[in-house]
Amino acid sequence: MRQPRIKASKDTDKAYYHCISRVVERRMAFDDEAKAKFVGFLRLYEKFCCVRVVTFCVMGNHFHLLVEVPKRPSEEEMPGEDWLIEHVTGSYGVKRARELREEFKLLRKMGGMDGEAKIQKIMEGYFKRMWDVSQFMKTLKQRFTQWFNKRHNRRGTLWEDRFRSVLVDGEGEALIATAAYIDLNPLRAGIVADPADYFFSGYGEAVAGRRKARAGLSIVDRLFTSRYIVPKKARTPLDRYRVVLFDRGEERGRQEDGTPANRGFNKKQIEEEKDRGGRLPNFTYLTKRVRYFTRGGVIGSREFVNEVFEQKRATHFAKRKTGARKMEFGDRKRGRTMYSLRRV
């Protein structure tokens, strides 16, 4: 008999859940395109469902999420029609919101209490999918399955079973440990030698400059000062989190051939990272910002970018006054500052 899911009390301001789901028969179904698409749906429904993803990791046949779920508003506090339409606009776009608004207008033209009752039922249907970890996971998995099945011309379920979840204490060691466990998955699996190199994770996205990923990890950062002795050189939340990842990612055990039974960092690597305060070289951050290299238009020295800008100004950038945009994390001290034509 299926056991009911353990959830936080309805009075809890913010609850945290570690959610895991695996592909049916644990097939290695996710290539890079599928992983990127999954992350896109993740960010879309994170916003719509009014939850926050603290961190995540999408592997070849499963995924991990650490999700913050705020308390559902009471009946008296529940938002109204204008808020819902604005929320749909921000989540799904203007077209979807316009269709919803027109549907409400049409129902009101039908007249009376019946029209208003139908509007209320539609709104309740939207609100049902918000502020709830189960609804968030259901929506995310169903939408990704639809995309995946269409792409591969298949039918049927994609997932092994319903998702598993663990309720995590948001005020202690457990939240830090869970976040690190998730972001260390690619390292433990031997896919990368450094978690920063795995883009389909919260930490990998944060290193690449993604704002939502950095905002998610900032939730964990508030616990560092009370739980860890963090090196003074670790000045940013990302630096501090990296120190914790190395501390948590120590290799363990030995196999018969002498290799670690549990892949990770050796003691020397951990100490060196603590000495650096978790700070990656600026140019390393820059190379992780893939979008600069695909959407920057022109990249190079300021002089080179401005020269191209002047050449193309009349045809491409008539409204712009300046050309070169400094790329974030450029290393001026080492002469490595780079510029792009478009700010990414």
Side-chain angles (χ1 to χ4, degrees), residues 19-72:
C19 303
I20 313 102
S21 193
R22 297 184 182 277
V23 174
V24 66
E25 297 177 350
R26 306 201 176 189
R27 301 172 191 166
M28 299 299 287
F30 291 175
D31 57 15
D32 284 356
E33 182 184 359
K35 291 175 183 177
K37 196 69 178 180
F38 182 88
V39 174
F41 287 134
L42 170 71
R43 293 306 185 190
L44 170 63
Y45 296 117
E46 170 191 25
K47 185 172 185 178
F48 173 74
C49 295
C50 299
V51 302
R52 175 179 282 185
V53 175
V54 179
T55 195
F56 68 92
C57 186
V58 187
M59 301 291 282
N61 63 1
H62 70 284
F63 67 84
H64 296 262
L65 306 179
L66 180 56
V67 187
E68 178 189 81
V69 182
K71 182 171 67 173
R72 175 179 291 275

Side-chain angles (χ1 to χ4, degrees), residues 131-233:
W131 307 292
D132 186 282
V133 67
S134 296
Q135 290 295 325
F136 167 64
M137 291 292 290
K138 177 183 177 182
T139 303
L140 173 62
K141 291 176 66 177
Q142 284 184 345
R143 183 65 187 90
F144 180 78
T145 299
Q146 291 170 358
W147 173 86
F148 188 89
N149 283 355
K150 184 177 181 180
R151 181 194 180 203
H152 293 279
N153 193 28
R154 70 183 294 275
R155 299 177 65 183
T157 183
L158 176 63
W159 307 102
E160 187 175 70
D161 202 347
R162 70 170 185 164
F163 76 95
R164 290 185 286 120
S165 66
V166 177
L167 179 62
V168 181
D169 180 3
E171 296 298 329
E173 167 71 12
L175 192 69
I176 300 174
T178 304
Y181 168 80
I182 291 171
D183 280 310
L184 286 168
N185 258 256
L187 176 76
R188 298 297 194 192
I191 299 173
V192 294
D194 189 317
D197 294 331
Y198 194 74
F199 185 70
F200 306 107
S201 68
Y203 179 63
E205 274 204 342
V207 171
R210 296 292 176 89
R211 292 181 181 178
K212 284 191 174 182
R214 291 190 169 198
L217 290 177
S218 69
I219 295 172
V220 183
D221 184 63
R222 63 183 169 80
L223 300 171
F224 287 168
T225 53
S226 60
R227 298 284 168 179
Y228 281 87
I229 301 175
V230 181
K232 291 182 179 180
K233 291 182 180 179

